[in-house]
Amino acid sequence: MTSNKSKKLNREFYIRNLLAVAKDLLGKIIVRNTGHEVISGKIVELEAYHGEYDQASHAFKGKTKRNEVMFEEGGRMYVYFTYGTHFCANVVVGKKEKGLAVLIRGVEPLEGIDLMSINRYGRKSISEKEKSNLTSGPGKFCKGFGISRIHNGTDLTGNEIFILDRPNLRSKEIGVSKRIGITRSVDLQWRFFIKDNPFISRK
DNA sequence: ATCAAGATTACCT
DNA sequence: GGTAATCTTGATA
């Protein structure tokens, strides 16, 4: 079982430099334990957001009711609702009050694929195309994993949602680009992904 | 109280 | 490549 092979990332992992944590999270295994079933997948794409000098960050204008989890100590989930339809999940990074986060944008499904299929399409049996589309985007990942507003603030050192350690990738395996879907601070090259992985949201 | 924008996705031509 | 769907938040009055 994938979930038992390696160790859960601890608090110290998350309380580090934003871009270092972002790159190190690539290739790690994110797990959701519903209490009945386990869903897991490899993180293959993400983006970093910095509350102090990144105008695209939800934390840029300071703490509000919506983004308050971003100002907690690293190692929690910040989940927000957008476009009236989708949830997006972030890993909060760094010390308290910093406002740093990493948006999870792409995951390669490992365990619980039947449940993911039901969450996304309402049925277990899905086409090859639907399989490749299960969790290849921030909203799709949340839908597949059943993550919604009730998971905002979830402690990733707990037992419901957590991330398992894996060896860091070599920098050669990591692609870097501008972030997607934003209108401010557009030139920061803060999107990271595993090159050639089919579950990244865009080529 | 009102309103525009939004860290997206699915479906259309 | 274009755009409707759908609703919460934060800004402004």
Side-chain angles (χ1 to χ4, degrees):
Chain A
M1 203 76 155
T2 309
S3 317
N4 299 324
K5 260 190 209 166
S6 50
K7 244 177 139 179
K8 195 182 294 182
L9 296 177
N10 58 22
R11 186 74 64 201
E12 288 67 46
F13 175 91
Y14 298 105
I15 305 182
R16 294 186 297 136
N17 172 272
L18 173 65
L19 298 184
V21 173
K23 289 179 207 172
D24 288 353
L25 279 174
L26 280 177
K28 304 284 190 279
I29 311 299
I30 185 158
V31 182
R32 167 144 192 255
N33 188 343
T34 69
H36 303 284
E37 299 184 63
V38 172
I39 302 177
S40 72
K42 178 162 79 169
I43 299 172
V44 303
E45 177 188 347
L46 40 75
E47 288 174 354
Y49 287 87
H50 197 297
E52 286 164 10
Y53 44 80
D54 169 12
Q55 294 187 63
S57 169
H58 288 175
F60 183 69
K61 290 180 180 169
K63 200 191 294 188
T64 64
K65 184 134 195 183
R66 177 213 212 186
N67 67 19
E68 61 188 358
V69 176
M70 286 185 79
F71 292 87
E72 295 283 320
E73 194 171 53
R76 290 178 183 273
M77 276 232 306
Y78 164 50
V79 180
Y80 67 89
F81 185 60
T82 192
Y83 292 105
T85 37
H86 305 291
F87 291 98
C88 293
N90 295 250
V91 175
V92 176
V93 175
K95 294 181 182 153
K96 226 170 169 354
E97 305 303 332
K98 285 290 188 183
L100 315 178
V102 173
L103 171 69
I104 298 177
R105 288 194 57 93
V107 165
E108 177 177 332
L110 295 172
E111 296 168 278
I113 291 176
D114 283 352
L115 182 51
M116 270 184 241
S117 305
I118 289 167
N119 287 342
R120 284 273 287 132
Y121 298 105
R123 53 197 146 78
K124 257 193 218 178
S125 176
I126 59 176
S127 69
E128 286 304 311
K129 187 167 183 180
E130 287 168 331
K131 275 180 198 166
S132 70
N133 212 15
L134 266 181
T135 49
S136 55
K140 300 178 205 175
F141 157 67
C142 282
K143 187 125 193 253
F145 272 59
I147 292 171
S148 69
R149 67 182 84 245
I150 64 172
H151 299 103
N152 188 37
T154 300
D155 189 344
L156 294 171
T157 65
N159 292 318
E160 182 176 4
I161 304 175
F162 50 89
I163 302 178
L164 296 173
D165 198 9
R166 281 293 147 102
N168 286 343
L169 301 180
R170 292 169 299 198
S171 56
K172 208 177 179 175
E173 302 171 274
I174 300 177
V176 180
S177 79
K178 294 178 182 177
R179 295 172 296 179
I180 292 172
I182 55 171
T183 57
R184 290 168 292 174
S185 298
V186 291
D187 289 329
L188 293 172
Q189 305 266 313
W190 282 2
R191 172 174 175 252
F192 305 100
F193 54 94
I194 300 180
K195 286 179 185 169
D196 301 323
N197 187 285
F199 291 91
I200 60 178
S201 63
R202 302 193 201 175
K203 293 169 191 171

